[in-house]
Structure formats: structure tokens, C-alpha cells
Amino acid sequence: MSARTWLDASKLPSHAFGSRNLMWWGSVGFVVIEGAMFAMLIATTLYLRGATASWPPPGFAPPSLLWGTLNTGVLLVSLWPNNRLRKAAEALDEKATRRWMWIDDSFAVAFLAVRAVELTALGVRWDANAYGSAVWAVMGFHTLHLLTDAIETFVITWFFHLDPSPKRYIEVSEDCLYWNFVVLSWLPLYAVVYWLPRWT
Amino acid sequence: MTADARRPPAVEVLDAPPSPDDEVRRRLEESWGRPRTFGGWLASTSHADIGRRYIVTAIVFFALAGLLAIAMRLQLARPENGLLGPDAYNQIFTLHGTTMMFLFAVPVMNGFALALVPLLVGTRNVAFPRLNAFGYWVYVLAGALLWGCYLLGMAPDAGWFSYVPLAGPEFSPGKRVDVWAQLISLTEISALVAAVEIIVTVFKMRAPGMSLDRVPLFVWSMLVMSFMIVFAMPAVMLSSVFLAMDRLVGTHFFNVAEGGDVLLWQHLFWFFGHPEVYIIFIPALGFVSSIVAVFARRQVFGYPAMVLSLVATGFISFGLWVHHMFATDLPQLGESFFTAASMLIAIPSGVQIFCWIATLWGGRPVLRVPLLYVLGFVTIFVAGGMTGVMLASVPLDLQVHDSAFVTAHFHYVLIGGAVFPLFGAIAFWFPKMTGRLLSESLGRWTFGLLFVGFNLTFFPLHQLGLDGMPRRIYTYLPDTGWTGLNQLATVGSWVIGVAVVLFVVNAVRSLVRGPFAGADPWRADTLEWATDSPPPAFNFLHLPVVVAREGLWAPGAGRLWVAGLDAPGKREVLVTNLLDAEPEIKSELPGSSLWPLAAAVSTVATFAGAMFTPWAVLWGSLPIFLALFGWGKPELEKKRRGETAPGPAAEPEAAG
Amino acid sequence: APGAERRRVVAVAAAAGVTLLVLVGFLLASVATGDRLAAPPSGEPLRVQVTGWQWWWDVRYPGAMAADEVRTANELHLPLGRPVRIELSSADVIHSFWVPRLHGKRDLLPGRPLLLHLTPSVAGVFDGQCAEMCGLQHAHMRLRVVVEPEEELEAWLAAQRRAAAPPASPLARRGQRVFLSSPCVLCHTVRGTAAGGRTGPDLTHLASRSTIAAGTLPNTRGHLAGWVIDSQSVKPGNAMPPIGLAGPELQALLAYLEGLE
Ligand code: HEA
Ligand code: HEA
Ligand code: CUA
Ligand SMILES: [Cu+2]
């Protein structure tokens, strides 16, 4: 073979935030998959509503607005500390990262607690009729996301305290991304569960 | 120095490698190799290992489902045959269809993608090696669950698309359909995982210089397949969860009496199901493009048209699902729309066929076994595509829907469109994956028998369908006059069986004492042929730099390489940017681990338990959590040295 | 060579263009045919209601009054040259109505009644079969359609509308007692007797039908006997339990059933 030349990769950085990082793409991939599932869930609900005479069926009241709306508020407010956390992590600011992480954790506890109450105020059981099944499917699926997001955040908090290495900062920033998804995906679901039955 | 190397100036160019080749090889072997023990085998996260396992496992499932097909054909050889009763027959065709679609066709394509894409894009592994191992274990355990249940006499029996209410709690009591629903969820998890792997690997780990317009067609087809998986599989996961919940916790998604709807199931299933058949077919197009180029000894004609056709097929296939539901309750205008869309998709398929023909026509075709399979593919697939276009027409479909004609159509497109290219791909890449050549003469016999046997089996089914024979019947009466053609089909299935046996014999024989292949037996163009056969655990001693779309056939190929990706004890890969594949960072991949296996075992056990009680989900989440925790736990003991701080690394400048 | 390359481009583009033209032509033909098939016919159609059951067809011709209704099973009589409106529904799972010589398929969907319009244009006897997988005996869910001139159809309807013929011989009378005291009456109707079950085929004019068990067997004495005693070995999984009858009782029952012209 004729003369060879080499590109020297040894001095490239080994970590990066955002789209130069493989993990970021992995998270985006799963966000898209779960987003597609939410979309199908909404389509299912609309389809069932279209196939039934009244939504909710006679004898059932729409879910009480209080708790659901409160939780929507909690989730929306949490976007603020969450994005402060992301900025802190991306600036490699250890103190600020710790601080905002604790605030994020408290928000996670809060929205899980409100969600628990919310589930008792839906006004229908999943096995009552197709309407109930749809409401519970939406709520259950989103609650699953809240739970995994909360647990992930707790675990990452712990790991960060053990070893605040570059890799951990990236994990924190990725977790913030997922958090944003979980919050924003709630908005259409909120409309479907709480407002669709009220919309004639 | 080629002007077109597109290297970012941030990366230094050296005239000699920083370390001698022997030293590099020693270091790479140390960091990428795995112990040759059973534990090392179980813990492997190498894409080559995982990909190969997918392929071998899928072929085992193909043989099993094929044996079931032989049983069905025997049962149908005579009217009122007593070989299989209705219960056995319903289980068998359901298991045949389910296994072929979910445990053979999709995983085998994923397996090829996982085994080959990292090589074709010039990197050392897939983006998330542990996730990859997890996906495989979920798949094989789910398949074992299904077949275990078959041995226990509780295989699903409502068909591969399990229409409700037949599959619902009222008309399918027992656990059979639950097994099906859980299998679907599990195999979709595994397919989704593989899809994310492939997308990220293709987007971010291509060798420097492999800008998007230089990506091989094979890689494009795997990319399109992966995107289709990402958007199609969620629908079927959701619907199989609904079905499982209707059966287990009393929800009413499909229960007409409580406001549910039976067509909801069909919409959700086919919204996935139609793309599914193209998920199987599109990777096969990638095989064909690779083979055609190499054996015509020129690049595939019309690269932009080929890429556009792949992408168009992917998009359009999400707009066809209703053509499986023409006999149900749908507005006529809607039906015409879906007819038009179904016909539209013939255009990208046709364009690709025409481009291959143009390639062969202008090249110097070498009629080796892989090319024979391509020719078989073209003839059979075009026939199957034509019957597909016929089915897209509502008045025609209302006649032949759910008849043997449809069975004929989909075996023509599935076997002609996917299995023939697959066999070609095996003949083509076997030397790369094993280092040995297959026997050419046995290969020709296999091809010939397969081609004849296939047409003998499935051509008569067209006529049977037109004569009124429905599908999924375990027997028929003598007065129908369907006996002769059915017997012909049965004979054909045995000929296919002989071909499959020959194929296995050929593979096993060559594995043991086939002639050595060398790095590049076909003088091919893509990067996998630039390394040893089989490739070492780290794939390439030095990552290649791509200078043109022609890959290894380009004039400047083989001059420019990447050095410095061999830090001791680390599995480093190069991360490049999406459009131009310019180096951005070097990333460290995790090594072997048993945690993915643990996570897969607990996931499958949870789903299996959830067939019996909803609480299984709660209990199962604990081991799943623990396994994921162990998987992600930082290895605190080993404080890494030499890590550069993260942060905005110097933006690579524009190509120089 | 650039010349050869250009020829290839032209050839591929031309082939794609021809494909497009063929498809457009086929699409137009298909939509036009579909419209014609689906158009409700002019003129007053004959109404027929077909309900799918696992694994047989319940057939009804609604009359002006409830008493005028004709109910039979697995056999349809249709008028030659007069439009027919078939109302399809299902009592359990999805089935599909398919008589290839008459029309394409239409599904029988639980909870979603569907219509099928057709005008038979050839007289004769046509076989059909359920085309949607519906469980164990999907294979044995056949039906028979007789297309005949309207006068013959009217005569047939009139005959079917009558209550069951009273048993004509002592043996048949004994058979009727056997029938009425057996579990048969839980599922089957014989109009004019106390038997009023609705979940199995109407037997009022059983003997006038050419097959039994939804086209599985010709309607002969021997097959009928086999069916009554052990229907499960003839058509495994069907809803009819085995009826334990002693020889003489069975003979009597058969005599009665064969008299249900
Ligand atoms: C690999 C899998 C695969 C592929 C590629 C296809 C391709 C196509 N299929 Fe098929 N199909 C299946 C797998 C596949 N199908 C399966 C599994 C089922 C049954 C599921 C079940 O019920 O169990 C099914 C069922 C099915 C139905 C429903 C039938 C029914 O149940 O009643 C329909 C109806 O429209 C249809 C249409 C088509 C069309 C229009 C194409 C087109 O994409 C074909 C396009 C290709 C060509 C046309 C050939 C190449 C083109 C040229 C050479 C150009 C010249 C062409 C012309 C001028 C026309 N398919
Ligand atoms: C990729 C998908 C795929 C493939 C490859 C096949 C392959 C075959 N299929 Fe089928 N088939 C489906 C997908 C597929 N099928 C689907 C989706 C259905 C619909 C199911 C439903 O209705 O729900 C179906 C339904 C179906 C039916 C209709 C059943 C019915 O409606 O009643 C029939 C009947 O003839 C049939 C036959 C065959 C045959 C003979 C083969 C042959 O090509 C098989 C060839 C393989 C062999 C013959 C195996 C040989 C192996 C050995 C001999 C073992 C050797 C092993 C060692 C030495 C280790 N298939
Ligand atoms: Cu009824 Cu098949
Ligand atoms: Cu389709």
C-alpha cells in the first residue's frame, strides 16, 4: 500500500454535553418512542369517545379538576429548578448542582404525592366501562413516567454525591432533559383526561 | 494528502502512527477482548457476538416454525384429514405466523444490522453495548416462553393478529392469548432497543469522512427500518397491553357491551402491522443493494433515487393500514384513499427494482450464489408485489380477502422479498463473519430447490383462493375440489424443507472445514471488507477514513486512517457529527457485564407473572430496579485518570 | 461512458413513468367498480338478516308482523333479479359472510351491524363459507345460497312461515316427547311446540334443508343420528352437548326430526 497518513484522535475530548454525546441521542430515542406511545394513547381515547354516545357515560362525572390542575401547576413550576439544575451541571458547578438537585428531588416527592391523591379523585374505575379504562390507561402510563423519573433523579442524586465526576454531570443534564419531557407530555394528557369529558 | 478528507483542523495529521501496530493491537486486545469462558460469553457486549446470536437464534426459530408449516401442509393434503384436530391446527398456524414474524423475520434483520452496521460505518461497537445485550436476552427468553407454553399445550390460537373479541376474555379463556400478548410486548421491547442502537450508531459513530451522502445503501436501509420500528412498535405494544388488561384486570377497551370497540384493535394492530411487513422487507433491500453492487462490479445505479425510495417507502407505509380492513365497516371515500396509497407504494419499490436492473445491465455480472438469490428475489417479489397491488383494490380484495390468495401474496413478498435476500446475505457475509467460504455447488442446489419448492408450494394457493378456499381452515370437504392443488403445495413444502436442510448442512460443513476466506473474498466496496475475517473484537486496528461514496473502490481509499483510539484499558470509540462525520469527541463504551442478562431475566419473569396476577408488576419491579441499578452503578473504585473535563470542546471548524 | 449512463437514466425514468400510468389506470377502474358494487340498488329490496354464531348462521326474513318472520339457519333463499339487502351482525366473535359467486366479503361485527346489497343475477345453488377466523370450527361454518325465481322464493317463504308439521306417526309422536323432554329445547326452536331456545339453529323446518351442522354433513338419517349422539366428534368444540339417548328413543327422535319438513 502506498504512503499512509493518520488522523490523531488521542487529543479529542472524552466528554461533551448535548448532541455530541451518545447518551443524549439514546435519551432522545426513548423520548420519541414514549412520545409515540402517548400519541397512540390519545388517539385511542379520541377513537373510543367517537364511538360512544356520551363521554363520560351517563352516571359518571368527569374527574375532579382540583388535584389534576394542582399537579399540572406543580409540574410546570418544576421546569424552572429543573432547567437551573441543567445549567448548573453544564457549567460543572458542583455546589449549585447539589443545591438544585435537592430542589428537584423535593418536586419529585411533591408531584408523586399529589398524583396519589389525584388517582383517588377520578370518579370512575378502570373496570367500569371503556371510558374508565381509557382514563386509567392515560393516568397509569403517565404515573409510570413520573415514578421512573423520580427514582432516576433520586439515584442520580446519590451517585453524584458519591462521585461528582464529569460523567455524573452529563447524567444530571440528561436526566433534566427527560424531566422536561415528562412534564411537557403531561399537558396534552391533562387536556384529554380533564377537559375532553367536559367538552361537549 | 487527499483534498477531500474532510478532517477538522482540530485533529492533527501525522505521517506515522504514534505507536507501532503491534503495540496498538496488544492494547486493543486487552481492552476489547473477552475471556473465552462461559461467564465471558454470557457477559459479552460485543455487537458481533450479539448480532450473531440474534441471527442464529432467529434461524432456529425459522426452522421450528417451518416444521409447523410442514405439519399444516400435511394436514391440508387431504380433505377431512385427521392428522391435526382444530385445536392443534389453530395453535400451529398462530404459532407459525407469530414465530415467523416476531421471532424470525424482525430479529434476523436486526441481527444483521447489529452485526454489520458498526463494521460498515467503521466503528468498534454499537452505541449502547449493554442495552444491546439486554435486547437480545429479552428476545430469546420471550421466544423460549412462547415455545415452552406450546410444549405445555397452551400456545396462543387466535391467529398472528389475535382479533378481538375472539382473543378477548370471553371467547379465549385460559392463558393462551396472554402468552401471545406478553410475547408481543417483549419482542417489541427488544426490537425498539435494537432500533435505537442502530440509529445512534449510524448517526454518531460513522468513520470520519462518511458524510450522509456517502453512507452505503445497506446502512440507509437499516436506518429506515429502525425509524419505522420506533414509530410503529409503540402502537402494538399499547394494544397488546390493552388486550392483556382486558383479560386480566377487567378493562373494557374492546368490550362492545361497555363502550369498547372491536375495530379499535384492528386499527391499532394494523397501524403497526402494515409497517411491520416493510420493517422486514426494507433491510432485505439493503442486502440486495450490497450484493448487486459487488457482483455487478459497479456502484448501484441511482444512489439518490435509491435513498429517496427507501425513505419514501418508510413514510408511505404508515398510510396503508386500512387495506387489511376493507371488509369491515369503513366509509368508502376512506377506502379509496387507502387503495391509492397502497398503489403509490409500488412506485418506490419499482424504482429500486429498475435501478438494480440498470446496475446489472451496465455492469459485468458474476453469477455467484448471492446474485442467484437476488435474481430469485426479483422474480418472486415482483409477482408478490403485483398480487399486492391487486389486493389494494377494494372490489378485488373483497373477493380474495382472508382466502388462500392472501396467503399466497404474503408468502411471495415475505419469502421472495425477505427470505431470498436473507439467504443471499448469508452466502455473502458468511465468509466475513466466520472466516470461511461456503460451498458454491451446495449453494446452487439449495437455491434451485428453494426456488422450485417455493413456487410449487405457493403458486397453487393463488388459484385455491380464487376457488374460494378461506385461510385458517383446518380442513375442507371433498366436494370443494381443492384437493389436487393442496397436494401440490404440500409436495412443494417438502422440497423447501430439503433446501433448508441442505443450507444448514452447507453452513455447518463450511464452519468446520470450509476454505479460508481472507479479508475480502469478493473484492467488495464497503468497509467491513477492510478488516480481517472474522473481524477482531475491536473491528479495526485503525479506523478507516472515508474519502468517497465508493468506499474501498475509491481511488484514495486506504491511505488515511485514525490513530490514537487505543488508550490502555479503555473501550474508546470515535463520535462524529451527524451530517459530515467530522470527529467530535472520543467516547468510552462500557465493557462486558452480566447485569443486562439479570435485567432481562427479571423483565421476562415479570411479564410472565403478569399473565397470572397484576401484582407481579409490583414484585417484578424490584429485581428489575436492582438489575438496572447494578448496570448503571458508577465504578467508584476505579477512579479514572486522564479524563479530560467535559464542556464545550473547540467547535470543529468547517471542512478544509 | 456518459452515453450509456444517460440511456440508463432515461430507461429507469420511463419505467417509473409507465408504472405510474398503469397504477393510475388501475386505480380509476378500481374506484369505479367499487362505487358500482356499493351503490344501493334501486327498487324495493328484500330484507334478510344474517347473524353469525360460533359456528353457524342464523337467517331471518323479517315480516310485516313479528309472527310473519321466517327464521331458518345456514341456508339462504334469494330472489333472482331482485335487489336484496342483507343485514349482517354477530352474536359473539367476528365472522365474515362470503359467497364467492354472489359478492365479495362483508364482516359480521359484534356491536356494529353492516349492510350488504346485491342483486342475484344467476339462478342456482351456491356455497359460501365464513371467511374470518372465528375459533375452533371456523372451517365448518359453511352456508348454502339458493337463488330462484321470485314465485319459487315466495312459495318457499310461505312454507317456512308455517308452524312445524305435527308428528305424523306414533313413532314420531314418541320422538316429539323425547325432543321436548330433552335439553335440546334449551337452544333450539320448533315453532308450534314448547321448544323456544334461541341460541341454536331453528329446527322448525329442519328436514327441508340440504345439510346439517352449517354445511358440514348432508342431511341424511345416518348423519343426523351421528350428530345427535356425538356432535363433538363430528365438529369438535361446537356448542351442542352430547345427548345420551337409548336406541329406541333415538329412532323415535330421528323419525320426528325427519318429519319437520
Ligand atoms: C414483506 C412483506 C410485504 C410486502 C413487501 C408487501 C407489499 C405489498 N402488499 Fe402486502 N401483505 C403482507 C406482506 C407484505 N406485503 C402480509 C404479511 C400480509 C397479510 C397479513 C395477514 O393478513 O396475515 C399482506 C396483506 C396485504 C393486503 C391485505 C389483503 C387482505 O387481507 O385482504 C394488501 C391489500 O392491499 C396488501 C397490499 C400490498 C401492496 C400494494 C404491496 C406493495 O408494496 C407491493 C409493491 C411492489 C410491486 C408492485 C412490485 C415491484 C414493482 C414494479 C416491478 C413496478 C411495476 C409495477 C406495476 C406497474 C404495478 N398486502
Ligand atoms: C417470514 C414469514 C414466513 C415464512 C418464512 C413462512 C414460511 C412458510 N409458510 Fe407461512 N405464514 C406466515 C409467515 C411465514 N411463513 C404468516 C404470518 C402466516 C399467517 C398466520 C396466521 O394466519 O395467523 C402464515 C401462514 C401459513 C399458512 C396458512 C395457514 C392457514 O391459513 O391455514 C401456510 C400453509 O400452507 C404456510 C406455509 C408456509 C410454508 C410451507 C413455509 C415454508 O417456507 C417454510 C420453510 C421452512 C422449513 C420447511 C423448515 C425446514 C426445517 C427443517 C427441515 C429442520 C432442519 C433443521 C435442522 C437440520 C437443524 N404459512
Ligand atoms: Cu365464523 Cu369463521
Ligand atoms: Cu399491508
Side-chain angles (χ1 to χ4, degrees):
Chain A
M1 204 169 280
S2 56
R4 299 198 196 184
T5 19
W6 272 267
L7 298 185
D8 181 13
S10 59
K11 300 200 181 60
L12 284 173
S14 58
H15 292 92
F17 291 106
S19 73
R20 283 179 300 152
N21 175 2
L22 294 180
M23 286 304 290
W24 185 87
W25 285 90
S27 314
V28 170
F30 284 99
V31 161
V32 171
I33 290 170
E34 283 153 36
M37 264 193 230
F38 282 130
M40 298 309 299
L41 206 52
I42 293 173
T44 299
T45 310
L46 293 176
Y47 181 93
L48 285 173
R49 181 178 190 268
T52 356
S54 77
W55 191 264
F60 291 88
S64 109
L65 272 180
L66 172 64
W67 295 105
T69 311
L70 176 64
N71 217 5
T72 311
V74 172
L75 286 166
L76 282 177
V77 172
S78 79
L79 286 179
W80 177 66
N82 187 51
N83 285 294
R84 293 297 301 264
L85 170 60
R86 192 167 57 84
K87 293 229 174 64
E90 288 174 11
L92 306 183
D93 181 341
E94 191 176 330
K95 250 176 67 192
T97 305
R98 272 180 218 269
R99 186 171 62 242
W100 289 110
M101 214 141 58
W102 283 118
I103 298 180
D104 249 17
D105 289 340
S106 334
F107 267 96
V109 173
F111 64 57
L112 283 180
V114 183
R115 177 54 59 86
V117 186
E118 216 182 327
L119 291 179
T120 63
L122 293 177
V124 64
R125 272 172 61 100
W126 59 87
D127 55 1
N129 45 42
Y131 161 77
S133 307
V135 166
W136 276 87
V138 172
M139 295 302 291
F141 198 55
H142 191 261
T143 305
L144 203 66
H145 280 73
L146 288 185
L147 261 173
T148 43
D149 189 31
I151 293 175
E152 194 182 325
T153 309
F154 299 152
V155 170
I156 284 177
T157 310
W158 182 34
F159 283 0
F160 187 82
H161 281 259
L162 293 178
D163 163 39
S165 68
K167 217 178 146 198
R168 302 279 91 76
Y169 285 103
I170 292 176
E171 275 175 13
V172 172
S173 131
E174 231 89 285
D175 183 50
C176 293
L177 190 79
Y178 189 68
W179 183 299
N180 287 342
F181 164 69
V182 172
V183 171
L184 294 178
S185 65
W186 168 246
L187 299 179
L189 301 180
Y190 170 67
V192 161
V193 170
Y194 287 92
W195 292 100
L196 194 62
R198 295 185 155 79
W199 184 56
T200 45
Chain B
M1 181 59 244
T2 37
D4 202 26
R6 299 200 184 174
R7 72 186 160 71
V11 180
E12 247 178 284
V13 181
L14 311 173
D15 288 329
S19 343
D21 279 5
D22 291 347
E23 169 66 13
V24 176
R25 185 180 299 279
R26 199 188 49 72
R27 281 196 221 150
L28 287 174
E29 265 163 11
E30 214 174 272
S31 46
W32 288 87
R34 62 166 165 85
R36 306 259 127 212
T37 59
F38 182 61
W41 185 86
L42 277 183
S44 172
T45 52
S46 138
H47 78 95
D49 285 342
I50 308 284
R52 205 162 40 227
R53 285 175 204 173
Y54 264 112
I55 296 171
V56 171
T57 314
I59 289 178
V60 169
F61 281 123
F62 168 73
L64 290 173
L67 290 174
L68 295 182
I70 300 248
M72 289 193 289
R73 286 302 344 155
L74 282 177
Q75 164 67 15
L76 294 177
R78 283 194 296 137
E80 307 225 272
N81 197 351
L83 181 69
L84 299 174
D87 185 41
Y89 191 84
N90 289 359
Q91 290 187 56
I92 284 179
F93 78 69
T94 303
L95 201 58
H96 168 78
T98 304
T99 302
M100 283 295 192
M101 300 304 269
F102 297 103
L103 296 175
F104 161 63
V106 175
V108 84
M109 297 303 173
N110 280 332
F112 263 93
L114 293 169
L116 290 173
V117 163
L119 287 162
L120 267 97
V121 302
T123 185
R124 300 204 193 283
N125 203 345
V126 288
F128 312 109
R130 291 189 177 177
L131 194 62
N132 199 22
F134 170 76
Y136 171 75
W137 293 121
V138 167
Y139 153 63
V140 68
L141 292 171
L145 178 70
L146 178 73
W147 278 76
C149 287
Y150 176 56
L151 296 182
L152 296 177
M154 45 184 243
D157 56 358
W160 85 277
F161 39 78
S162 285
Y163 274 5
V164 292
L166 181 63
E170 191 180 348
F171 298 101
S172 290
K175 293 296 162 204
R176 290 177 168 191
V177 175
D178 299 288
V179 177
W180 185 87
Q182 305 302 57
L183 173 94
I184 298 305
S185 297
L186 289 168
T187 49
E188 301 327 4
I189 291 177
S190 132
L192 284 165
V193 160
V196 172
E197 294 284 355
I198 294 160
I199 292 174
V200 181
T201 307
V202 174
F203 272 12
K204 294 302 289 179
M205 293 167 72
R206 302 197 306 276
M210 190 187 278
S211 50
L212 277 186
D213 59 345
R214 294 173 178 174
V215 168
L217 289 172
F218 175 91
V219 176
W220 271 111
S221 63
M222 293 304 184
L223 190 65
V224 172
M225 164 192 80
S226 303
F227 271 102
M228 292 179 67
I229 291 180
V230 164
F231 291 105
M233 302 261 173
V236 76
M237 274 192 73
L238 203 65
S239 54
S240 63
V241 170
F242 289 166
L243 179 62
M245 292 201 307
D246 266 16
R247 298 175 54 85
L248 187 71
V249 296
T251 53
H252 299 290
F253 291 101
F254 309 121
N255 180 1
V256 177
E258 292 293 350
D261 190 273
V262 292
L263 290 188
L264 171 62
W265 169 266
Q266 300 192 12
H267 282 295
L268 284 173
F269 186 89
W270 290 116
F271 182 80
F272 144 82
H274 186 84
E276 159 89 348
V277 305
Y278 291 85
I279 287 170
I280 293 168
F281 171 56
I282 282 187
L285 299 177
F287 300 158
V288 173
S289 285
S290 296
I291 294 172
V292 165
V294 168
F295 292 97
R297 310 231 57 81
R298 74 191 291 281
Q299 286 277 294
V300 171
F301 173 80
Y303 178 91
M306 294 293 291
V307 173
L308 272 178
S309 297
L310 285 173
V311 175
T313 310
F315 270 103
I316 302 173
S317 66
F318 282 89
L320 312 188
W321 78 94
V322 165
H323 71 205
H324 296 271
M325 302 166 61
F326 283 152
T328 63
D329 172 19
L330 293 167
Q332 220 187 337
L333 185 67
E335 290 185 343
S336 304
F337 170 82
F338 285 98
T339 298
S342 306
M343 292 185 179
L344 188 64
I345 207 164
I347 292 174
S349 301
V351 166
Q352 293 183 73
I353 303 248
F354 303 143
C355 285
W356 289 318
I357 294 177
T359 313
L360 290 170
W361 173 24
R364 284 153 286 149
V366 189
L367 214 58
R368 303 291 292 271
V369 170
L371 192 60
L372 283 180
Y373 279 108
V374 167
L375 299 182
F377 152 80
V378 170
T379 41
I380 297 177
F381 174 74
V382 168
M386 294 299 170
T387 54
V389 172
M390 290 162 71
L391 290 171
S393 155
V394 176
L396 270 172
D397 181 65
L398 290 182
Q399 260 315 337
V400 291
H401 171 66
D402 268 333
S403 77
F405 189 90
V406 172
T407 312
H409 159 67
F410 68 74
H411 284 90
Y412 264 73
V413 277
L414 282 167
I415 298 184
V419 176
F420 270 73
L422 174 73
F423 276 39
I426 294 174
F428 185 62
W429 278 293
F430 190 88
K432 178 48 64 187
M433 293 188 193
T434 66
R436 310 253 189 179
L437 289 168
L438 285 167
S439 150
E440 189 77 8
S441 60
L442 267 181
R444 282 169 193 274
W445 274 101
T446 309
F447 168 77
L449 286 171
L450 196 64
F451 188 82
V452 171
F454 170 80
N455 285 294
L456 211 54
T457 311
F458 293 105
F459 195 76
L461 294 190
H462 292 105
Q463 186 60 43
L464 282 170
L466 295 174
D467 289 349
M469 179 173 166
R471 61 194 279 209
R472 299 171 158 185
I473 50 169
Y474 76 101
T475 192
Y476 51 93
L477 299 182
D479 65 1
T480 52
W482 301 333
T483 314
L485 289 175
N486 269 304
Q487 268 162 2
L488 209 58
T490 304
V491 172
S493 70
W494 281 90
V495 179
I496 304 181
V498 173
V500 174
V501 171
L502 265 190
F503 165 81
V504 173
V505 168
N506 192 358
V508 172
R509 218 183 61 144
S510 298
L511 215 49
V512 183
R513 44 167 231 248
F516 290 107
D520 186 6
W522 312 118
R523 289 182 293 130
D525 55 341
T526 39
L527 293 180
E528 78 275 29
W529 304 101
T531 184
D532 301 341
S533 304
F538 40 86
N539 284 353
F540 300 94
L541 189 59
H542 306 288
L543 299 191
V545 175
V546 175
V547 296
R549 186 186 297 156
E550 289 80 12
L552 304 179
W553 289 350
R559 291 223 203 100
L560 195 55
W561 301 82
V562 178
L565 267 185
D566 47 17
K570 288 185 171 189
R571 299 191 172 191
E572 285 178 330
V573 293
L574 194 62
V575 177
T576 55
N577 74 352
L578 173 57
L579 285 180
D580 297 324
E582 290 170 351
E584 289 182 336
I585 63 173
K586 60 182 166 47
S587 195
E588 191 188 342
L589 296 184
S592 302
S593 164
L594 283 171
W595 288 113
L597 176 57
V601 170
S602 21
T603 306
V604 174
T606 304
F607 274 81
M611 298 195 306
F612 299 95
T613 157
W615 296 108
V617 177
L618 195 63
W619 300 128
S621 59
L622 187 68
I624 294 180
F625 172 75
L626 288 178
L628 293 181
F629 183 81
W631 176 339
K633 186 168 65 76
E635 292 164 39
L636 297 169
E637 327 74 69
K638 289 191 237 154
K639 271 283 178 201
R640 307 273 161 72
R641 253 166 301 143
E643 273 176 330
T644 45
E651 265 316 307
E653 290 163 38
Chain C
E5 196 67 11
R6 184 150 354 99
R7 271 206 306 284
R8 265 195 293 271
V9 174
V10 171
V12 168
V18 171
T19 306
L20 182 65
L21 284 180
V22 172
L23 287 173
V24 170
F26 187 44
L27 175 65
L28 293 178
S30 164
V31 171
T33 315
D35 281 351
R36 241 179 311 140
L37 273 177
S42 54
E44 173 63 13
L46 175 73
R47 280 178 69 205
V48 188
Q49 296 170 336
V50 175
T51 307
W53 290 78
Q54 279 180 328
W55 294 279
W56 58 280
W57 310 86
D58 184 54
V59 178
R60 268 180 262 202
Y61 296 78
M65 285 176 301
D68 295 342
E69 184 187 75
V70 166
R71 184 163 178 252
T72 176
N74 305 323
E75 205 165 291
L76 235 64
H77 286 238
L78 299 180
L80 180 65
R82 178 176 162 199
V84 184
R85 174 187 138 113
I86 305 181
E87 300 166 16
L88 302 166
S89 61
S90 166
D92 38 47
V93 303
I94 302 177
H95 305 271
S96 193
F97 180 90
W98 186 30
V99 186
R101 303 280 298 280
L102 286 184
H103 199 278
K105 302 176 183 64
R106 209 62 173 160
D107 283 353
L108 286 69
L109 300 167
R112 280 178 179 254
L114 283 186
L115 292 183
L116 180 63
H117 293 285
L118 57 92
T119 309
S121 56
V122 189
V125 180
F126 306 114
D127 282 332
Q129 183 156 359
C130 174
E132 182 65 65
M133 162 68 184
C134 53
L136 284 179
Q137 287 301 336
H138 166 57
H140 288 140
M141 185 163 167
R142 310 214 298 165
L143 88 164
R144 180 155 284 188
V145 177
V146 180
V147 176
E148 56 200 5
E150 247 194 293
E151 316 79 72
E152 286 175 36
L153 175 74
E154 285 306 329
W156 179 80
L157 281 174
Q160 296 285 316
R161 206 169 280 133
R162 280 197 288 276
S169 65
L171 187 63
R173 267 196 294 282
R174 178 153 168 236
Q176 187 182 39
R177 281 198 302 280
V178 172
F179 179 74
L180 291 177
S181 59
S182 75
C184 307
V185 297
L186 296 177
C187 304
H188 295 287
T189 295
V190 175
R191 264 173 292 130
T193 73
R198 305 290 285 181
T199 55
D202 187 310
L203 300 181
T204 312
H205 299 286
L206 172 67
S208 74
R209 306 205 276 261
S210 55
T211 66
I212 58 171
T216 312
L217 298 170
N219 190 357
T220 64
R221 189 183 176 90
H223 287 306
L224 200 56
W227 176 260
V228 170
I229 294 180
D230 187 11
S231 72
Q232 292 302 327
S233 67
V234 180
K235 192 169 168 180
N238 84 81
M240 181 154 143
I243 313 283
L245 287 180
E249 286 178 315
L250 179 64
Q251 294 306 325
L253 180 64
L254 290 175
Y256 173 62
L257 291 177
E258 286 196 303
L260 293 175
E261 286 279 354

